[in-house]
PDB file of all heavy atoms in Angstrom:
ATOM      1  N   GLY Q  19      22.372 -43.853 103.519  1.00 98.00           N
ATOM      2  CA  GLY Q  19      21.498 -42.944 104.319  1.00 98.00           C
ATOM      3  C   GLY Q  19      20.114 -42.980 103.739  1.00 98.00           C
ATOM      4  O   GLY Q  19      19.868 -42.769 102.431  1.00 98.00           O
ATOM      5  N   ALA Q  20      18.993 -43.234 104.444  1.00 98.00           N
ATOM      6  CA  ALA Q  20      17.681 -43.414 103.941  1.00 98.00           C
ATOM      7  C   ALA Q  20      16.682 -42.291 104.068  1.00 98.00           C
ATOM      8  O   ALA Q  20      15.435 -42.454 103.891  1.00 98.00           O
ATOM      9  CB  ALA Q  20      17.185 -44.714 104.587  1.00 98.00           C
ATOM     10  N   TRP Q  21      17.262 -41.072 104.607  1.00 97.00           N
ATOM     11  CA  TRP Q  21      16.341 -39.979 104.858  1.00 97.00           C
ATOM     12  C   TRP Q  21      15.361 -39.599 103.630  1.00 97.00           C
ATOM     13  O   TRP Q  21      14.132 -39.669 103.771  1.00 97.00           O
ATOM     14  CB  TRP Q  21      17.102 -38.811 105.294  1.00 97.00           C
ATOM     15  CG  TRP Q  21      16.345 -37.584 105.600  1.00 97.00           C
ATOM     16  CD1 TRP Q  21      14.939 -37.430 105.614  1.00 97.00           C
ATOM     17  CD2 TRP Q  21      16.811 -36.351 106.108  1.00 97.00           C
ATOM     18  NE1 TRP Q  21      14.652 -36.199 106.055  1.00 97.00           N
ATOM     19  CE2 TRP Q  21      15.764 -35.444 106.317  1.00 97.00           C
ATOM     20  CE3 TRP Q  21      18.246 -35.803 106.268  1.00 97.00           C
ATOM     21  CZ2 TRP Q  21      15.969 -34.143 106.727  1.00 97.00           C
ATOM     22  CZ3 TRP Q  21      18.371 -34.495 106.721  1.00 97.00           C
ATOM     23  CH2 TRP Q  21      17.198 -33.754 106.836  1.00 97.00           C
ATOM     24  N   TRP Q  32      12.251 -34.653 101.338  1.00 91.00           N
ATOM     25  CA  TRP Q  32      13.037 -34.221 100.224  1.00 91.00           C
ATOM     26  C   TRP Q  32      12.208 -34.254  98.892  1.00 91.00           C
ATOM     27  O   TRP Q  32      12.902 -34.362  97.844  1.00 91.00           O
ATOM     28  CB  TRP Q  32      14.173 -35.175 100.047  1.00 91.00           C
ATOM     29  CG  TRP Q  32      15.244 -35.207 101.129  1.00 91.00           C
ATOM     30  CD1 TRP Q  32      15.024 -35.297 102.445  1.00 91.00           C
ATOM     31  CD2 TRP Q  32      16.688 -35.107 101.035  1.00 91.00           C
ATOM     32  NE1 TRP Q  32      16.205 -35.303 103.205  1.00 91.00           N
ATOM     33  CE2 TRP Q  32      17.224 -35.206 102.300  1.00 91.00           C
ATOM     34  CE3 TRP Q  32      17.530 -35.012  99.895  1.00 91.00           C
ATOM     35  CZ2 TRP Q  32      18.640 -35.059 102.532  1.00 91.00           C
ATOM     36  CZ3 TRP Q  32      18.884 -34.855 100.151  1.00 91.00           C
ATOM     37  CH2 TRP Q  32      19.375 -34.957 101.385  1.00 91.00           C
ATOM     38  N   ASP Q  56      21.543 -46.660 107.303  1.00 98.00           N
ATOM     39  CA  ASP Q  56      21.102 -45.841 108.424  1.00 98.00           C
ATOM     40  C   ASP Q  56      19.758 -45.281 108.057  1.00 98.00           C
ATOM     41  O   ASP Q  56      19.603 -44.669 106.905  1.00 98.00           O
ATOM     42  CB  ASP Q  56      22.091 -44.621 108.609  1.00 98.00           C
ATOM     43  CG  ASP Q  56      21.587 -43.715 109.837  1.00 98.00           C
ATOM     44  OD1 ASP Q  56      21.709 -44.121 110.946  1.00 98.00           O
ATOM     45  OD2 ASP Q  56      21.038 -42.663 109.517  1.00 98.00           O
ATOM     46  N   TYR Q  61      11.780 -40.556 109.253  1.00 98.00           N
ATOM     47  CA  TYR Q  61      11.945 -40.368 107.772  1.00 98.00           C
ATOM     48  C   TYR Q  61      10.718 -40.867 107.057  1.00 98.00           C
ATOM     49  O   TYR Q  61      10.564 -42.045 106.882  1.00 98.00           O
ATOM     50  CB  TYR Q  61      13.223 -41.044 107.237  1.00 98.00           C
ATOM     51  CG  TYR Q  61      14.523 -40.585 107.797  1.00 98.00           C
ATOM     52  CD1 TYR Q  61      15.651 -41.417 107.749  1.00 98.00           C
ATOM     53  CD2 TYR Q  61      14.634 -39.382 108.488  1.00 98.00           C
ATOM     54  CE1 TYR Q  61      16.870 -41.048 108.397  1.00 98.00           C
ATOM     55  CE2 TYR Q  61      15.845 -38.878 109.126  1.00 98.00           C
ATOM     56  CZ  TYR Q  61      16.880 -39.736 109.069  1.00 98.00           C
ATOM     57  OH  TYR Q  61      18.140 -39.382 109.572  1.00 98.00           O
ATOM     58  N   HIS Q 128      18.028 -40.121 118.202  1.00 98.00           N
ATOM     59  CA  HIS Q 128      18.185 -39.191 117.082  1.00 98.00           C
ATOM     60  C   HIS Q 128      18.418 -37.796 117.455  1.00 98.00           C
ATOM     61  O   HIS Q 128      19.392 -37.182 116.851  1.00 98.00           O
ATOM     62  CB  HIS Q 128      16.837 -39.220 116.310  1.00 98.00           C
ATOM     63  CG  HIS Q 128      16.833 -38.747 114.935  1.00 98.00           C
ATOM     64  ND1 HIS Q 128      15.961 -39.193 113.920  1.00 98.00           N
ATOM     65  CD2 HIS Q 128      17.785 -37.973 114.263  1.00 98.00           C
ATOM     66  CE1 HIS Q 128      16.304 -38.649 112.818  1.00 98.00           C
ATOM     67  NE2 HIS Q 128      17.339 -37.954 112.923  1.00 98.00           N
ATOM     68  N   SER Q 158      22.962 -39.384 118.576  1.00 98.00           N
ATOM     69  CA  SER Q 158      23.023 -38.508 117.485  1.00 98.00           C
ATOM     70  C   SER Q 158      22.842 -37.063 117.836  1.00 98.00           C
ATOM     71  O   SER Q 158      21.935 -36.780 118.748  1.00 98.00           O
ATOM     72  CB  SER Q 158      22.065 -38.877 116.434  1.00 98.00           C
ATOM     73  OG  SER Q 158      22.153 -38.131 115.216  1.00 98.00           O
ATOM     74  N   ASN Q 159      23.598 -36.129 117.309  1.00 98.00           N
ATOM     75  CA  ASN Q 159      23.479 -34.686 117.527  1.00 98.00           C
ATOM     76  C   ASN Q 159      23.613 -34.336 119.099  1.00 98.00           C
ATOM     77  O   ASN Q 159      23.058 -33.355 119.622  1.00 98.00           O
ATOM     78  CB  ASN Q 159      22.053 -34.280 117.229  1.00 98.00           C
ATOM     79  CG  ASN Q 159      21.898 -34.476 115.688  1.00 98.00           C
ATOM     80  OD1 ASN Q 159      22.613 -33.913 114.836  1.00 98.00           O
ATOM     81  ND2 ASN Q 159      20.822 -35.261 115.209  1.00 98.00           N
ATOM     82  N   GLN Q 178      26.465 -39.805 116.025  1.00 98.00           N
ATOM     83  CA  GLN Q 178      26.207 -39.570 114.630  1.00 98.00           C
ATOM     84  C   GLN Q 178      25.930 -38.036 114.608  1.00 98.00           C
ATOM     85  O   GLN Q 178      24.824 -37.427 114.898  1.00 98.00           O
ATOM     86  CB  GLN Q 178      24.872 -40.291 114.162  1.00 98.00           C
ATOM     87  CG  GLN Q 178      24.571 -39.937 112.710  1.00 98.00           C
ATOM     88  CD  GLN Q 178      23.358 -40.620 112.151  1.00 98.00           C
ATOM     89  OE1 GLN Q 178      22.660 -40.176 111.325  1.00 98.00           O
ATOM     90  NE2 GLN Q 178      23.101 -41.891 112.532  1.00 98.00           N
ATOM     91  N   TYR Q 206      27.199 -37.595 109.270  1.00 98.00           N
ATOM     92  CA  TYR Q 206      26.001 -37.511 108.350  1.00 98.00           C
ATOM     93  C   TYR Q 206      26.128 -36.300 107.403  1.00 98.00           C
ATOM     94  O   TYR Q 206      26.910 -35.364 107.712  1.00 98.00           O
ATOM     95  CB  TYR Q 206      24.809 -37.601 109.109  1.00 98.00           C
ATOM     96  CG  TYR Q 206      24.166 -36.472 109.822  1.00 98.00           C
ATOM     97  CD1 TYR Q 206      23.797 -35.330 109.349  1.00 98.00           C
ATOM     98  CD2 TYR Q 206      23.944 -36.533 111.245  1.00 98.00           C
ATOM     99  CE1 TYR Q 206      23.252 -34.344 110.085  1.00 98.00           C
ATOM    100  CE2 TYR Q 206      23.394 -35.649 112.030  1.00 98.00           C
ATOM    101  CZ  TYR Q 206      23.009 -34.406 111.439  1.00 98.00           C
ATOM    102  OH  TYR Q 206      22.402 -33.410 112.190  1.00 98.00           O
ATOM    103  N   SER Q 207      25.419 -36.339 106.326  1.00 97.00           N
ATOM    104  CA  SER Q 207      25.463 -35.375 105.242  1.00 97.00           C
ATOM    105  C   SER Q 207      26.771 -34.980 104.719  1.00 97.00           C
ATOM    106  O   SER Q 207      27.122 -33.807 104.705  1.00 97.00           O
ATOM    107  CB  SER Q 207      24.698 -34.017 105.781  1.00 97.00           C
ATOM    108  OG  SER Q 207      23.376 -34.391 106.242  1.00 97.00           O
ATOM    109  N   MET Q 209      27.825 -34.696 101.837  1.00 98.00           N
ATOM    110  CA  MET Q 209      27.779 -33.726 100.705  1.00 98.00           C
ATOM    111  C   MET Q 209      26.784 -32.600 101.036  1.00 98.00           C
ATOM    112  O   MET Q 209      26.331 -31.990 100.046  1.00 98.00           O
ATOM    113  CB  MET Q 209      27.364 -34.603  99.401  1.00 98.00           C
ATOM    114  CG  MET Q 209      28.312 -35.583  98.995  1.00 98.00           C
ATOM    115  SD  MET Q 209      27.799 -36.433  97.436  1.00 98.00           S
ATOM    116  CE  MET Q 209      26.437 -37.386  97.958  1.00 98.00           C
ATOM    117  N   ARG Q 210      26.731 -32.286 102.235  1.00 97.00           N
ATOM    118  CA  ARG Q 210      25.812 -31.229 102.730  1.00 97.00           C
ATOM    119  C   ARG Q 210      24.362 -31.327 102.090  1.00 97.00           C
ATOM    120  O   ARG Q 210      23.949 -30.408 101.430  1.00 97.00           O
ATOM    121  CB  ARG Q 210      26.425 -29.889 102.511  1.00 97.00           C
ATOM    122  CG  ARG Q 210      25.646 -28.582 103.079  1.00 97.00           C
ATOM    123  CD  ARG Q 210      25.775 -28.634 104.498  1.00 97.00           C
ATOM    124  NE  ARG Q 210      25.033 -27.566 105.157  1.00 97.00           N
ATOM    125  CZ  ARG Q 210      23.934 -27.626 105.773  1.00 97.00           C
ATOM    126  NH1 ARG Q 210      23.313 -28.890 105.853  1.00 97.00           N
ATOM    127  NH2 ARG Q 210      23.331 -26.634 106.319  1.00 97.00           N
ATOM    128  N   SER Q 211      23.872 -32.524 102.137  1.00 95.00           N
ATOM    129  CA  SER Q 211      22.493 -32.887 101.708  1.00 95.00           C
ATOM    130  C   SER Q 211      22.433 -32.564 100.160  1.00 95.00           C
ATOM    131  O   SER Q 211      21.352 -32.051  99.785  1.00 95.00           O
ATOM    132  CB  SER Q 211      21.567 -32.146 102.573  1.00 95.00           C
ATOM    133  OG  SER Q 211      21.588 -32.607 103.990  1.00 95.00           O
ATOM    134  N   GLY Q 212      23.371 -32.875  99.388  1.00 95.00           N
ATOM    135  CA  GLY Q 212      23.329 -32.736  98.016  1.00 95.00           C
ATOM    136  C   GLY Q 212      23.978 -31.373  97.431  1.00 95.00           C
ATOM    137  O   GLY Q 212      24.211 -31.382  96.259  1.00 95.00           O
ATOM    138  N   THR Q 215      27.455 -32.146  95.650  1.00 97.00           N
ATOM    139  CA  THR Q 215      27.492 -33.181  94.651  1.00 97.00           C
ATOM    140  C   THR Q 215      28.175 -32.741  93.326  1.00 97.00           C
ATOM    141  O   THR Q 215      28.743 -33.541  92.592  1.00 97.00           O
ATOM    142  CB  THR Q 215      26.196 -33.783  94.298  1.00 97.00           C
ATOM    143  OG1 THR Q 215      25.408 -32.737  93.797  1.00 97.00           O
ATOM    144  CG2 THR Q 215      25.611 -34.473  95.563  1.00 97.00           C
ATOM    145  N   ARG Q 222      18.082 -25.538  89.943  1.00 94.00           N
ATOM    146  CA  ARG Q 222      17.389 -26.677  90.547  1.00 94.00           C
ATOM    147  C   ARG Q 222      16.908 -26.329  91.889  1.00 94.00           C
ATOM    148  O   ARG Q 222      15.711 -26.743  92.237  1.00 94.00           O
ATOM    149  CB  ARG Q 222      18.582 -27.786  90.781  1.00 94.00           C
ATOM    150  CG  ARG Q 222      18.441 -28.890  89.805  1.00 94.00           C
ATOM    151  CD  ARG Q 222      19.254 -30.115  90.317  1.00 94.00           C
ATOM    152  NE  ARG Q 222      18.633 -30.834  91.354  1.00 94.00           N
ATOM    153  CZ  ARG Q 222      19.229 -31.722  92.050  1.00 94.00           C
ATOM    154  NH1 ARG Q 222      20.425 -32.029  91.879  1.00 94.00           N
ATOM    155  NH2 ARG Q 222      18.610 -32.495  92.895  1.00 94.00           N
ATOM    156  N   ARG Q 232      14.992 -28.660 101.800  1.00 92.00           N
ATOM    157  CA  ARG Q 232      16.318 -28.007 101.663  1.00 92.00           C
ATOM    158  C   ARG Q 232      16.192 -26.563 101.165  1.00 92.00           C
ATOM    159  O   ARG Q 232      17.148 -25.810 101.497  1.00 92.00           O
ATOM    160  CB  ARG Q 232      17.146 -28.838 100.679  1.00 92.00           C
ATOM    161  CG  ARG Q 232      17.596 -30.253 101.188  1.00 92.00           C
ATOM    162  CD  ARG Q 232      18.279 -30.986 100.051  1.00 92.00           C
ATOM    163  NE  ARG Q 232      17.391 -31.377  98.917  1.00 92.00           N
ATOM    164  CZ  ARG Q 232      17.830 -32.112  97.962  1.00 92.00           C
ATOM    165  NH1 ARG Q 232      19.042 -32.588  97.875  1.00 92.00           N
ATOM    166  NH2 ARG Q 232      17.018 -32.441  96.942  1.00 92.00           N
ATOM    167  N   ILE Q 282      27.746 -41.467 106.387  1.00 98.00           N
ATOM    168  CA  ILE Q 282      26.387 -41.901 105.853  1.00 98.00           C
ATOM    169  C   ILE Q 282      26.119 -41.063 104.605  1.00 98.00           C
ATOM    170  O   ILE Q 282      25.829 -39.859 104.686  1.00 98.00           O
ATOM    171  CB  ILE Q 282      25.343 -41.639 106.932  1.00 98.00           C
ATOM    172  CG1 ILE Q 282      25.798 -42.042 108.275  1.00 98.00           C
ATOM    173  CG2 ILE Q 282      23.993 -42.458 106.503  1.00 98.00           C
ATOM    174  CD1 ILE Q 282      24.778 -41.701 109.376  1.00 98.00           C
ATOM    175  N   GLY Q 284      23.506 -40.168 101.537  1.00 98.00           N
ATOM    176  CA  GLY Q 284      22.181 -40.260 100.977  1.00 98.00           C
ATOM    177  C   GLY Q 284      22.130 -40.581  99.564  1.00 98.00           C
ATOM    178  O   GLY Q 284      22.958 -40.058  98.823  1.00 98.00           O
ATOM    179  N   ARG Q 286      19.449 -41.714  96.114  1.00 97.00           N
ATOM    180  CA  ARG Q 286      17.920 -41.856  95.776  1.00 97.00           C
ATOM    181  C   ARG Q 286      17.593 -42.751  94.730  1.00 97.00           C
ATOM    182  O   ARG Q 286      16.493 -43.099  94.249  1.00 97.00           O
ATOM    183  CB  ARG Q 286      17.393 -40.447  95.521  1.00 97.00           C
ATOM    184  CG  ARG Q 286      17.778 -39.418  96.508  1.00 97.00           C
ATOM    185  CD  ARG Q 286      17.197 -38.151  96.268  1.00 97.00           C
ATOM    186  NE  ARG Q 286      15.795 -38.090  96.353  1.00 97.00           N
ATOM    187  CZ  ARG Q 286      15.029 -36.952  96.425  1.00 97.00           C
ATOM    188  NH1 ARG Q 286      15.562 -35.814  96.313  1.00 97.00           N
ATOM    189  NH2 ARG Q 286      13.726 -37.064  96.535  1.00 97.00           N
ATOM    190  N   GLN Q 290      22.943 -42.854  91.550  1.00 98.00           N
ATOM    191  CA  GLN Q 290      23.540 -42.164  92.616  1.00 98.00           C
ATOM    192  C   GLN Q 290      24.392 -42.964  93.408  1.00 98.00           C
ATOM    193  O   GLN Q 290      25.497 -42.505  93.986  1.00 98.00           O
ATOM    194  CB  GLN Q 290      22.545 -41.318  93.451  1.00 98.00           C
ATOM    195  CG  GLN Q 290      21.933 -40.119  92.620  1.00 98.00           C
ATOM    196  CD  GLN Q 290      21.065 -39.244  93.534  1.00 98.00           C
ATOM    197  OE1 GLN Q 290      20.702 -39.679  94.604  1.00 98.00           O
ATOM    198  NE2 GLN Q 290      20.677 -38.073  93.078  1.00 98.00           N
TER     199      GLN Q 290
HETATM  200  N1  LIG B   1      21.037 -37.853 112.685  1.00 89.45           N
HETATM  201  C1  LIG B   1      20.480 -36.917 112.015  1.00 89.45           C
HETATM  202  O1  LIG B   1      19.990 -35.945 112.551  1.00 89.45           O
HETATM  203  C2  LIG B   1      20.692 -36.825 110.595  1.00 89.45           C
HETATM  204  C3  LIG B   1      20.561 -35.669 109.837  1.00 89.45           C
HETATM  205  C4  LIG B   1      20.866 -35.636 108.508  1.00 89.45           C
HETATM  206  C5  LIG B   1      21.174 -36.804 107.781  1.00 89.45           C
HETATM  207  N2  LIG B   1      21.318 -37.977 108.574  1.00 89.45           N
HETATM  208  C6  LIG B   1      21.640 -39.334 107.827  1.00 89.45           C
HETATM  209  O2  LIG B   1      22.612 -39.165 106.956  1.00 89.45           O
HETATM  210  C7  LIG B   1      22.230 -39.523 105.581  1.00 89.45           C
HETATM  211  C8  LIG B   1      22.915 -38.733 104.608  1.00 89.45           C
HETATM  212  O3  LIG B   1      22.752 -37.252 104.717  1.00 89.45           O
HETATM  213  P1  LIG B   1      22.018 -36.472 103.650  1.00 89.45           P
HETATM  214  O4  LIG B   1      21.013 -37.302 102.950  1.00 89.45           O
HETATM  215  O5  LIG B   1      21.662 -35.255 104.295  1.00 89.45           O
HETATM  216  O6  LIG B   1      23.165 -36.013 102.639  1.00 89.45           O
HETATM  217  P2  LIG B   1      24.262 -36.227 101.647  1.00 89.45           P
HETATM  218  O7  LIG B   1      24.857 -37.581 101.603  1.00 89.45           O
HETATM  219  O8  LIG B   1      25.212 -35.170 102.004  1.00 89.45           O
HETATM  220  O9  LIG B   1      23.530 -35.965 100.287  1.00 89.45           O
HETATM  221  C9  LIG B   1      22.698 -36.907  99.724  1.00 89.45           C
HETATM  222  C10 LIG B   1      21.946 -36.287  98.462  1.00 89.45           C
HETATM  223  O10 LIG B   1      22.900 -35.916  97.491  1.00 89.45           O
HETATM  224  C11 LIG B   1      22.310 -36.250  96.151  1.00 89.45           C
HETATM  225  N3  LIG B   1      23.233 -37.221  95.619  1.00 89.45           N
HETATM  226  C12 LIG B   1      23.629 -38.380  96.159  1.00 89.45           C
HETATM  227  N4  LIG B   1      24.396 -39.104  95.288  1.00 89.45           N
HETATM  228  C13 LIG B   1      24.611 -38.366  94.102  1.00 89.45           C
HETATM  229  C14 LIG B   1      25.321 -38.636  93.022  1.00 89.45           C
HETATM  230  N5  LIG B   1      26.136 -39.678  92.740  1.00 89.45           N
HETATM  231  N6  LIG B   1      25.279 -37.626  92.139  1.00 89.45           N
HETATM  232  C15 LIG B   1      24.440 -36.460  92.357  1.00 89.45           C
HETATM  233  N7  LIG B   1      23.679 -36.234  93.395  1.00 89.45           N
HETATM  234  C16 LIG B   1      23.728 -37.201  94.385  1.00 89.45           C
HETATM  235  C17 LIG B   1      20.881 -36.787  96.404  1.00 89.45           C
HETATM  236  O11 LIG B   1      19.952 -35.729  96.572  1.00 89.45           O
HETATM  237  P3  LIG B   1      19.275 -35.008  95.284  1.00 89.45           P
HETATM  238  O12 LIG B   1      19.287 -35.949  94.107  1.00 89.45           O
HETATM  239  O13 LIG B   1      17.936 -34.724  95.757  1.00 89.45           O
HETATM  240  O14 LIG B   1      20.167 -33.793  95.088  1.00 89.45           O
HETATM  241  C18 LIG B   1      21.108 -37.377  97.797  1.00 89.45           C
HETATM  242  O15 LIG B   1      19.921 -37.548  98.584  1.00 89.45           O
HETATM  243  C19 LIG B   1      20.682 -39.353 105.742  1.00 89.45           C
HETATM  244  O16 LIG B   1      20.074 -40.157 104.710  1.00 89.45           O
HETATM  245  C20 LIG B   1      20.421 -39.941 107.075  1.00 89.45           C
HETATM  246  O17 LIG B   1      20.476 -41.261 107.146  1.00 89.45           O
HETATM  247  C21 LIG B   1      21.078 -38.009 109.818  1.00 89.45           C
END
Side-chain angles (χ1 to χ4, degrees):
W21 182 2
W32 290 53
D56 177 79
Y61 298 160
H128 202 155
S158 179
N159 300 303
Q178 181 180 143
Y206 73 68
S207 302
M209 298 184 288
R210 189 64 180 108
S211 299
T215 57
R222 256 194 80 192
R232 291 178 292 181
I282 317 172
R286 309 182 70 163
Q290 287 192 346

